Structures are given as C-alpha cells and as structure tokens.
Amino acid sequence: MLKVLKFGGSSLADAQQFAKVKAIVEADESRRVVIVSAPGKRFSGDHKITDLLYLCAAHIKYGVSCEEIFDMIRTRYLEIVHDCGLKLDLNPDFDALWAKMQEGIEKDELASRGEYFSARLMAEYLGYEFLDAAEWVKFRFDGTVDTDATYEALRRAAGDRSVVIPGFYGVMPDGRIRTFSRGGSDITGALAAAALDADVYENWTDVSGILMADPRIVDDPAPIRHLTYGELRELSYIGAQVLHEGTIFPVREKNIPLNIRNTNEPEHPGTTILESIEEDTNDGSFITGIAGKKGFSVITIAKTGMSGDPGTLVRILEILAKHEVNVEYIPSGIDIISLVVESKKVSKCLYAMLGELQKEVQPNKITVTEHIAVVAAVGRKMAYRPGVSGKIFAKLGENGVNIRMITQGPEELNIIVGVEEKDFAQAIRVLYDSFVKEHI
Ligand code: ASP
C-alpha cells in the first residue's frame, strides 16, 4: 500500500501546522511520499511565501532593492526551524540565493525556492529523505510535461524510499527551473501518485472536501463524500471552486482515487473522487452537488424551415466561431434555436455578429437576452431516473424562480437551468434545501 500526500500552503504556514502534518503522516505507515507547497498565510492579512518571492522578482526586474522582503522570507523559515526544533542551518542557502539574486536570477527559479526550502525542512522533521522535483519533473521546451520521462525518472529516483518532494516546479531540457501555474503543487502530487501507482492520492488542504454548494450562498453546505471524475468536471466547469482539471489528469488516467482532506480536521474523511462509484442508487440525495455561474447571454434565432435544413445550424456556428465565441449550451425547438454564450466574450463583437447572422441566415427573428445565470444540479444518480427534472422544475416554480432555459447533457449527469441573474442565489438555495438538506 502506498499513499502519496500533498500538503497545501496553509498546512505549512508555521510550526504548528508542520506538527499537524507530521501527526498525519505518522498515523499511517503507507504515507511514504509527501509533496509540499511553500508556507502560506498564517492569518488573514499575512503573506504567502510564493507571493513574496514574486514580489522580489518584480523588484529585481525594476532595479529596486528587495532586501526587506527577502528578510521576511528568511525569517519565516528560520522561525519554523526554531519552533520545530530542527538542526538544519538554512542561512548558507539563503546567502547563496541572495548572491544569485544580485547576479540576476530567473523568476521561475526564484519562485520555486518557496517549495524547495519547505521540503528541506519537512524532510528533516519527518525523518524522510529530500527528493528534488528538478530531478524528475521533466518539462518539454513548449512547457508541457513529458509524463513518460517524468514517471520513469521518479520511479528510479524514489525507489521504495520515504521522501519529501517540493511541489510547483520541474526542470526544462536545458536544466533551467520551470514552475507550473499558480497552485501547481497539486500537479506535482498527481504526477508523483501516477508515477508510483499509488493506491490513493491524498490532497490535504484547509477544507474538509468539496462542498455541495457555494458557502457564500448556502449556509454551511455539507461536503460531498464521494464524487466521480465526470461529476467533478461538470461542477468545476460550471463554476464550483474545486481542483483544476489539469491538476488531476495524471491520477484520473491511472484510475487512482483522489481524496481531499483537511489538515485541521484530520479525522474527517473529506471527499473521495473516483472514476466510477458502485452504490445503492436509491440511497441519499440524487444531487451530488450544485454549482452555477452568472454572466450569460442567450441569442435566440427563429427561422421557418430551419429544423429541416442542417446547413443553417452550421452557418450559425461558423459565424460564432469566426468571432471566437464559444457556445456553452444550445437548447432548441422546432425552427428555433438558442445559443447560450458568456456575455463578456460577446460584448465587443455582438453587433457585428448579429449583423452577419442576419445577412447569412436571414432569420425571421433574432433576440438577445442578457443577465442570465446558469445553475446546474449535478449527480450521477440522476441518470435514467424518471421524474427528477420534474421535481426540480416544480420546486423552482413553487419558490418563484422563473426558468428561462432548460438543458440536460446526454449522459444525464446534470440538469441545467437558465434563470435571471436576480434569481441566481435563490435557485441554488431552493435546490439545496429541497433536495439535499432533507437527506443529510
Ligand atoms: N506555492 C505555489 C503558489 O502559491 C504553488 C502551490 O502552492 O501549489 O501558487
């Protein structure tokens, strides 16, 4: 059994958080591979180490001294060393880094040092070996990861050892350090789990899993216990603040369960994401999660005979594609079609596009409805279950939410309704209170 763990910045903010990480790792001997972020904020108003490093890079770029910021960074680490009772003397490393910064250091390399020092400290604290990400996370020149080479290199470098690895960065073919985009330690963790064929990838953060709805809208929403990768994709596409898809493809590809956990509440099982889930479909709510987004416009085109002429739809979509407008949903009726698009993407080209549609398609009518929000109820248990959409529409109607549009994906994994933006929060609350709360 092998568990690969990744700890985010808030789990490493200070010695107290380091101690929690140690307790979690020591509680299970299969937790042998640990990926760490750079220390994050200790309290609101505090600074993330990575932000401070980028700030240094900006100062260097414009020739302004960043000595004070650099001292803040050094002090943060030295405090952790002291408070955790570690022996490691980081001063020579910081002095060498400072010297390199005077000569001109690349931004990525400087930013990567947050994770690097964090991993060195954690390795000593856990009694694990430090394994540098630059030894195995292999980027191509185009910035993509060469997964085959990466997996092979990690297998060779890690063997059966217990190791701590810095997240967020890897190495280019010419030996230079390159970072992922912000939050990229999640990717390092997923790559490590995939390379080592881990039994589970535990992603430790400061929330007890993915919540069933946005806590800014619903009071104290319950976390989702189990979720499929398909559902995760639906929820994140439509606005839920969850892991970015790019961060999970390595584990998804290998069918490794991803478990999101809370360092501050380690006994909570969190959310487990799996490729497929076998369970009693009649148990619990048929909704796994609710998400939504504001800021959509609906372009509705009516043209007699359109249903019998597939060329019309092609022409419409070509015009939108020409303006680089992505169509999110296409609810349609006989001789009438609606295109749901993000308002900010059409704002500049709307009139030009409508003009072209008028000319090329010669519709009977084109209308544009703005300030539309989409709300999605996502759930694998909705598939092929009669009556689900009826129940949803009825509840929304009873609660005064006017549905402007309805669409459902062919896999019946979601039911999406378009509502006026003013009804957005109410629609989410109604769905949560009617279909989720009563099952908890
Ligand atoms: N420390 C990096 C950031 O703040 C990467 C990470 O935490 O995943 O973006």
Side-chain angles (χ1 to χ4, degrees):
M1 179 80 143
L2 170 68
K3 293 183 178 170
V4 170
L5 286 71
K6 178 256 163 177
F7 289 91
S10 58
S11 307
L12 299 148
D14 55 20
Q16 229 185 334
Q17 294 302 88
F18 264 58
K20 291 182 191 170
V21 170
K22 188 172 160 77
I24 289 165
V25 173
E26 288 178 349
D28 183 340
E29 60 180 26
S30 53
R31 290 177 170 150
R32 291 200 315 273
V33 175
V34 176
I35 287 88
V36 291
S37 287
K41 292 183 185 185
R42 293 160 291 185
F43 43 83
S44 80
D46 194 18
H47 304 290
K48 292 183 180 184
I49 290 290
T50 309
D51 290 339
L52 296 177
L53 288 165
Y54 279 125
L55 206 51
C56 284
H59 279 68
I60 294 170
K61 184 173 167 198
Y62 293 106
V64 181
S65 165
C66 60
E67 212 169 336
E68 255 176 61
I69 306 167
F70 190 76
D71 279 343
M72 279 167 77
I73 298 170
R74 186 197 293 249
T75 308
R76 283 283 298 272
Y77 285 100
L78 295 186
E79 265 172 25
I80 296 173
V81 169
H82 174 264
D83 296 348
C84 288
L86 303 178
K87 305 240 155 11
L88 193 69
D89 181 9
L90 282 183
N91 277 315
D93 293 270
F94 273 105
D95 292 341
L97 178 59
W98 178 251
K100 200 165 182 183
M101 287 161 67
Q102 308 316 303
E103 287 157 20
I105 186 170
E106 290 201 22
K107 188 166 105 185
D108 277 18
E109 181 176 348
L110 183 51
S112 76
R113 296 304 88 184
E115 273 58 24
Y116 173 82
F117 289 126
S118 185
R120 296 257 322 263
L121 296 190
M122 188 55 81
E124 188 196 332
Y125 194 42
L126 296 179
Y128 281 16
E129 283 176 66
F130 168 78
L131 172 58
D132 199 345
E135 279 184 46
W136 64 276
V137 178
K138 309 266 185 200
F139 283 101
R140 298 190 188 92
F141 277 119
D142 67 4
T144 58
V145 175
D146 181 343
T147 41
D148 288 342
T150 293
Y151 292 173
E152 169 64 27
L154 180 60
R155 277 186 219 118
R156 233 181 310 114
D160 287 331
R161 293 184 300 156
S162 296
V163 290
V164 178
I165 299 170
F168 191 39
Y169 69 93
V171 69
M172 294 289 273
D174 60 2
R176 282 183 307 157
I177 296 281
R178 184 186 170 106
T179 57
F180 290 109
S181 55
R182 294 300 303 263
S185 300
D186 284 335
I187 310 180
T188 315
L191 288 168
L196 301 173
D197 283 317
D199 295 279
V200 56
Y201 170 34
E202 294 181 345
N203 192 304
W204 290 84
T205 169
D206 54 5
V207 286
S208 296
I210 299 173
L211 300 174
M212 294 187 80
D214 187 336
R216 289 166 301 185
I217 299 176
V218 169
D219 280 342
D220 200 16
I224 302 172
R225 184 75 187 83
H226 291 107
L227 184 70
T228 64
Y229 281 109
E231 289 173 310
L232 178 71
R233 164 128 180 86
E234 296 287 342
L235 283 171
S236 39
Y237 188 73
I238 201 135
Q241 298 276 330
V242 288
L243 293 171
H244 187 276
E245 221 204 337
T247 68
I248 54 170
F249 80 88
V251 278
R252 180 173 188 178
E253 248 171 30
K254 291 222 166 179
N255 211 354
I256 296 170
L258 162 54
N259 185 197
I260 300 172
R261 300 285 289 266
N262 188 351
T263 301
N264 305 316
E265 206 187 339
E267 39 325 298
H268 195 292
T271 299
T272 299
I273 307 162
L274 300 147
E275 194 52 47
S276 64
I277 298 167
E278 277 171 36
E279 70 212 313
D280 180 359
T281 42
N282 294 318
D283 191 30
S285 171
F286 57 81
I287 292 180
T288 302
I290 302 160
K293 251 201 274 194
K294 289 184 181 176
F296 289 92
S297 299
V298 183
I299 304 170
T300 303
I301 304 167
K303 179 178 161 75
T304 314
M306 182 157 81
S307 293
D309 170 24
T312 309
L313 179 57
V314 174
R315 277 199 299 282
I316 293 172
L317 293 177
E318 271 171 2
I319 292 169
L320 270 84
K322 197 178 112 193
H323 289 277
E324 292 176 8
V325 173
N326 188 29
V327 184
E328 305 287 333
Y329 309 102
I330 314 186
S332 63
I334 299 167
D335 293 344
I336 186 158
I337 183 169
S338 286
L339 308 160
V340 182
V341 296
E342 272 194 77
S343 306
K344 66 173 187 287
K345 295 220 177 99
V346 287
S347 58
K348 285 207 187 84
C349 59
L350 184 63
Y351 291 116
M353 215 168 63
L354 292 179
E356 281 173 49
L357 286 168
Q358 189 72 50
K359 192 165 148 232
E360 299 282 327
V361 182
Q362 302 201 337
N364 306 94
K365 199 171 170 200
I366 301 187
T367 51
V368 179
T369 314
E370 287 175 309
H371 307 297
I372 293 292
V374 293
V375 172
V378 174
R380 58 191 181 275
K381 291 194 213 165
M382 295 194 310
Y384 317 114
R385 178 158 156 170
V388 167
S389 40
K391 282 187 197 160
I392 289 179
F393 305 148
K395 271 289 170 213
L396 291 172
E398 274 166 35
N399 287 279
V401 176
N402 181 23
I403 302 176
R404 302 291 302 260
M405 171 204 97
I406 298 166
T407 127
Q408 184 173 34
E411 289 170 309
E412 296 187 30
L413 207 55
N414 58 19
I415 292 173
I416 295 164
V417 293
V419 298
E420 282 168 35
E421 283 182 349
K422 66 173 175 46
D423 291 335
F424 176 68
Q426 168 75 346
I428 290 181
R429 269 186 230 115
V430 168
L431 293 181
Y432 189 83
D433 291 347
S434 315
F435 302 111
V436 178
K437 218 168 169 180
E438 61 181 44
H439 289 278
I440 306 174

